[in-house]
Amino acid sequence: MYIENHMDVLGLGKRHLKCWNTLGSSSSVPCIKSLMSSSKLNDYSKTRSLAWRPNMGVENVELVPLSSKAISSYTVDPLSSMTTQPLKFPNLVTGLPRNPPYSSQTSALCTRFTPNEWFQKQVKFYNEADSNRYYSERMRSDAVKCIREAESKIQHNQYDTGRRLGERISDVTFWRNEIASELEKQVQEIERLQDCRTTLEKAVHDIQNPLHVAEECLYHREARKGSELVHDEAEKALLREVQNLRSGQNRLEAYLDKCKDQLRNCRISQNQLELDLKNKESALGIDMLCHQISNTSRGLQYYSGIEKYDPCISKPETWAETANRIIQKSQAERTKSCQLRADAETLINRVAQEMWDSWNSSNNALSRRCGELLEAKSKLQQHLHKVQQEIFDVEKNLELLRKAISDKSYALKVAQTRLEARTHRPDMELCRDNAYISLQREIDDIYNQVERMHKSLKDMENQHQRLLRTRNALEHDLALKIDAVYIDKEKVCGLRRAYPVNAMFRF
């Protein structure tokens, strides 16, 4: 209150107060020129011009304000880059040295200020000191308040940022764990799919053995001759077996191609999961490092303008959606892989069952055919034996007929001799008596019997030839049967004694 009253009296206000600047400008340090008003200097100059006031050689000198630095360092001003000379003040008491004997006397007689001026100057200093102190106290309180508010705000912002970093770490950790779990499942599924691919490749390769056996059986059966080269049930069964084997091989190869494509898709999904997992682990490490940084951490630096640089390419929604999409794609590929493996296993079992059924069907047909051939061979052998026996009997009858015909020549000679002898009877003794008639009848009967025997002999000889041809046909057919039995029983069935399929096929 005292300061304000005096400032009102003297007409001084806050407009006379200047800011204290530490930059080394002309207004940085209060100078003597600011302590004296311009009106005072004008009055002083007027008093100098008075006739009764002697001139002591003292002139008005304008004082240059000093810098905040020491005088000893004023040779070079670092702010203005100018070389300055040290200030030299005149001796205000002695004045000029032209009249030294009278210097002390004239100084005592000639004073420059009045008591009123001196009092006003003191009041001005008091007011200025009070106002500056008041203003300084208020600025100190405002500065302390600003410091406290800034500290509180910064601490709150750091706490909030730390909390948000912790939430971000939790989110990244969650998705990292989800992706790691999905990656582990995908790797296991790829291993199982790789095993399925190996199984399919081995199944396709193992079909070659039964297919080769079936084709070899057909090739051996082509070596049959004559009427034995028949399109029987065994050959039909072998053809069906070859067709089933080739069909099963084609289906397995188709599933093998699908398995390779699915394996490629699973590996693409695995690559995406590994890349995203690597990125999330890197981001998690950076966020954890940022979460652990505090005001006392080492290695802190300024990065001017970093807050204006925005390198972000995603938002939390799109970030989570991208991770979720990658996981869903991996799950979809795993589902397809599981379904493909199940279908492949079912196909392998179905093909194996069809192969086994075809194999058994062909073996049964070959067994029946071999039985038929053996039965036919046995019957042919029986008939051949009977025909051989009949040929032997016919040959004996032929000999008997020839001998009988030869024997009838003697009776014919006897009858003809008798008849010729009786033709020599004389005259009336040539009588057609019963004896003559009997001889003629006997000779006719002999001729008839001989003719019949010749006819029977001819028929017997023809039958003998037919029997010989039949025997030859039977022997030839028996040889064909023996060859067919050897082919079907020894060669074909010999190839099919063991099932040429690996134990991986389950029935």
Side-chain angles (χ1 to χ4, degrees), residues 37-88:
S37 63
S38 59
S39 60
K40 298 290 184 176
L41 294 175
N42 293 330
D43 296 338
Y44 178 73
S45 61
K46 291 179 181 179
T47 57
R48 290 289 305 274
S49 61
L50 296 178
W52 57 272
R53 188 176 294 271
N55 188 1
M56 296 182 297
V58 180
E59 296 179 355
N60 295 330
V61 180
E62 184 179 1
L63 301 180
V64 180
L66 298 177
S67 176
S68 60
K69 297 184 178 292
I71 296 176
S72 62
S73 64
Y74 262 67
T75 58
V76 178
D77 191 355
L79 296 179
S80 60
S81 300
M82 295 176 61
T83 304
T84 58
Q85 296 296 330
L87 295 178
K88 297 180 180 181

Side-chain angles (χ1 to χ4, degrees), residues 77-186:
D77 191 355
L79 296 179
S80 60
S81 300
M82 295 176 61
T83 304
T84 58
Q85 296 296 330
L87 295 178
K88 297 180 180 181
F89 295 95
N91 193 348
L92 300 179
V93 179
T94 61
L96 296 176
R98 62 184 179 178
N99 197 5
Y102 301 97
S103 59
S104 60
Q105 182 180 2
T106 55
S107 175
L109 293 176
C110 300
T111 56
R112 292 180 295 171
F113 299 101
T114 62
N116 188 20
E117 290 174 349
W118 176 84
F119 181 75
Q120 289 179 0
K121 182 179 179 181
Q122 296 301 316
V123 171
K124 177 183 176 182
F125 285 158
Y126 299 156
N127 292 333
E128 185 177 356
D130 292 338
S131 62
N132 286 333
R133 190 172 58 255
Y134 172 76
Y135 183 70
S136 177
E137 291 176 356
R138 189 175 64 179
M139 289 186 67
R140 283 191 296 105
S141 63
D142 292 341
V144 171
K145 182 179 179 182
C146 181
I147 291 171
R148 291 176 179 176
E149 289 180 354
E151 184 69 21
S152 176
K153 184 67 176 178
I154 290 173
Q155 288 182 357
H156 180 269
N157 290 337
Q158 282 189 347
Y159 174 78
D160 185 68
T161 303
R163 181 177 59 83
R164 294 184 183 276
L165 281 173
E167 293 177 355
R168 181 63 180 176
I169 290 172
S170 300
D171 294 340
V172 175
T173 303
F174 171 77
W175 285 110
R176 192 273 308 270
N177 295 335
E178 290 293 327
I179 291 177
S181 177
E182 182 62 28
L183 179 60
E184 183 179 359
K185 295 177 182 178
Q186 186 67 259

Side-chain angles (χ1 to χ4, degrees), residues 182-199:
E182 182 62 28
L183 179 60
E184 183 179 359
K185 295 177 182 178
Q186 186 67 259
V187 170
Q188 294 176 358
E189 183 60 32
I190 288 175
E191 292 177 355
R192 288 191 288 266
L193 190 60
Q194 185 67 32
D195 294 338
C196 179
R197 174 186 174 181
T198 305
T199 303

Side-chain angles (χ1 to χ4, degrees), residues 371-381 477-478 481:
E372 293 175 358
L373 289 174
L374 290 175
E375 185 179 358
K377 175 187 172 184
S378 178
K379 289 182 179 180
L380 281 175
Q381 288 176 346
D477 193 64
L478 182 61
K481 290 290 188 297

Side-chain angles (χ1 to χ4, degrees), residues 15-32:
R15 61 180 179 273
H16 295 287
L17 300 176
K18 296 184 180 180
C19 296
W20 187 272
N21 194 347
T22 61
L23 294 178
S25 63
S26 60
S27 61
S28 61
V29 180
C31 61
I32 301 174

Side-chain angles (χ1 to χ4, degrees), residues 272-312:
Q272 291 178 352
L273 289 172
E274 289 177 350
L275 181 61
D276 194 63
L277 180 62
K278 181 180 178 181
N279 293 336
K280 282 185 170 48
E281 287 180 348
S282 178
L284 184 61
I286 293 173
D287 287 342
M288 292 181 68
L289 178 62
C290 293
H291 189 264
Q292 294 174 358
I293 291 177
S294 62
N295 295 334
T296 58
S297 299
R298 301 177 63 181
L300 300 179
Q301 295 180 4
Y302 286 109
Y303 296 93
S304 180
I306 190 65
E307 68 278 359
K308 298 179 182 179
Y309 174 67
D310 188 8
C312 300

Side-chain angles (χ1 to χ4, degrees), residues 329-340:
K329 182 179 179 182
S330 176
Q331 291 175 351
E333 295 299 333
R334 282 197 301 109
T335 303
K336 291 180 182 179
S337 177
C338 291
Q339 184 64 34
L340 181 62

